[in-house]
Amino acid sequence: MIYKKAIIPIVCLSILAACNAPTDKNENKKNMKEDSMIISDEQMDKLGITNKEYLSAASKRALKWPNIGNEWFIEFNELEPLKGDLAYEEGVVRRDPSAMIKVNGKYYVWYSRSTGPTQGFGGDIENDKVFPWDRCDIWYATSEDGYTWKEEGLAVPRGEKGAYDDRSVFTVEIMAHDGKYYLCYQTVKSPYNVRVKNQIGLAWADSPDGPWTKSKKPILSPADNGIWKGTEQNRFLVEKKGDFDSHKVHDPCILPYKGKFYLYYKGEQMGEEITFGGRQIRHGVAIADNPKGPYVKSPYNPISNSGHEICVWPYNGGIAALITTDGPEKNTIQWAPDGINFEIMSVIPGVNAHAIGLNRSADNEKEPTEILRWGLTHVYNNYNYQSIMRFTSERKTTHVAKGESAK
Ligand code: AAL
């Protein structure tokens, strides 16, 4: 299908529209007239507006909608289990799959892998496993068809004692660029307490099968302008919260973009609160001239006020993002013409595919969400163990009763 690639106008889906209620009826009517718009009969008919003298806030927003189709509106289907080595295995955590790349006819994926149950923070954190993603290494697997996978083994191990990544390396992303391969991932240094800062590391190789060389230092760290209150291990107690990423930089994903390298990431803030959309989670971007950095955080950060795991892809000269899980704009797809200023393009029914690993071999320019037709995600089989699954999504194009024709 040929998709018209004119400049994509932005769907103005104002989730939190300012409410400016006039007090009496006449004033109401006057206000409506003051910002009265020229409304064609065709618009009236399409939007089902009763009286153009009385436009509700919703009708005013609808009148600003650009004339686009439903290309950004999708639904996710039930997840499917994988086969072979990536099928659920009791005792093993496999989660947070990277994007898939296709090399010599085979799909490659990297992921966090650990073994054994999670004890949490209540006991001896020096020896316990505090999260399912604690004490992870980065492993990889390959597949011919995306369903049946062969676990190839370890790609990037934790660092030696004392290194910035000595406790866990996890939640990895892959970038293939100019014949080289780059893995970026989260790192934690021991002891893994609730106030520990999480950073981002990088490894590179000439082949997807490695060997991988790790960066000696993190390529991104949390902002250091937050101040903990007291010394108790309590991440909610702060004198000052600091920037949106003062506690953790997570879920890194590097995209080559406009001759530079955009490292998108999730920020967690010291003194995190529950707000009107769930956890206070935002996304940021850091930009470098070279894949290995140095990465400089954008002064526009945060670039989203919602979301969780980063899921970004290039589309039509800009960058698209699937925003899930947290914040008032969760369950939306957004697009930024410059990779920074994101606008909501669609709202989608509850996304059941989290921590998505996109299929980078898809034709991402075919239509805005083509890259979401299928890919990888993970599920909690139980609190201790997670496994990688396959997701699919489709565009919603009809709504018909049984036996009814769509035309
Ligand atoms: C994920 C990601 C990060 C978090 C944890 C493991 O889905 O957001 O990686 O640290 O959960």
Side-chain angles (χ1 to χ4, degrees), residues 283-389:
H283 295 166
V285 66
I287 300 167
D289 291 333
N290 296 294
K292 292 180 192 166
Y295 284 91
V296 177
K297 292 180 185 177
S298 168
Y300 290 98
N301 286 345
I303 55 168
S304 88
N305 282 306
S306 299
H308 202 94
E309 297 94 354
I310 295 288
C311 178
V312 285
W313 64 97
Y315 177 72
N316 197 22
I319 301 292
L322 173 69
I323 300 291
T324 65
T325 316
D326 289 301
E329 295 176 7
K330 62 173 168 269
N331 298 331
T332 63
I333 299 180
Q334 309 197 359
W335 183 76
D338 57 0
I340 288 177
N341 290 289
F342 285 86
E343 298 282 356
I344 296 172
M345 304 300 286
S346 65
V347 176
I348 47 183
V351 180
N352 57 352
H354 298 276
I356 277 181
L358 290 170
N359 172 16
R360 294 269 180 228
S361 70
D363 176 6
N364 54 293
E365 294 293 344
K366 188 177 164 204
E367 55 178 76
T369 62
E370 178 65 18
I371 202 168
L372 293 171
R373 284 302 79 83
W374 75 275
L376 301 177
T377 177
H378 68 211
V379 285
Y380 276 70
N381 304 88
N382 51 62
Y383 180 68
N384 287 323
Y385 304 116
Q386 293 87 59
S387 61
I388 300 177
M389 302 278 281

Side-chain angles (χ1 to χ4, degrees), residues 14-79:
S14 309
I15 288 179
L16 300 172
C19 175
N20 192 6
T23 43
D24 74 53
K25 265 194 190 160
N26 288 339
E27 195 185 335
N28 191 4
K29 195 168 171 190
K30 198 173 107 230
N31 283 350
M32 296 302 176
K33 276 201 172 145
E34 266 166 14
D35 42 61
S36 73
M37 308 156 131
I38 298 169
I39 307 167
S40 68
D41 289 348
E42 199 188 339
Q43 277 177 306
M44 288 271 290
D45 196 47
K46 178 156 184 171
L47 298 173
I49 291 171
T50 306
N51 185 333
K52 60 181 161 191
E53 296 291 311
Y54 294 87
L55 293 176
S56 66
S59 291
K60 285 183 187 171
R61 286 201 299 280
L63 283 161
K64 287 184 194 150
W65 288 347
N67 203 12
I68 59 168
N70 72 348
E71 293 82 6
W72 293 85
F73 289 77
I74 60 166
E75 292 180 350
F76 283 87
N77 302 314
E78 290 245 320
L79 305 181

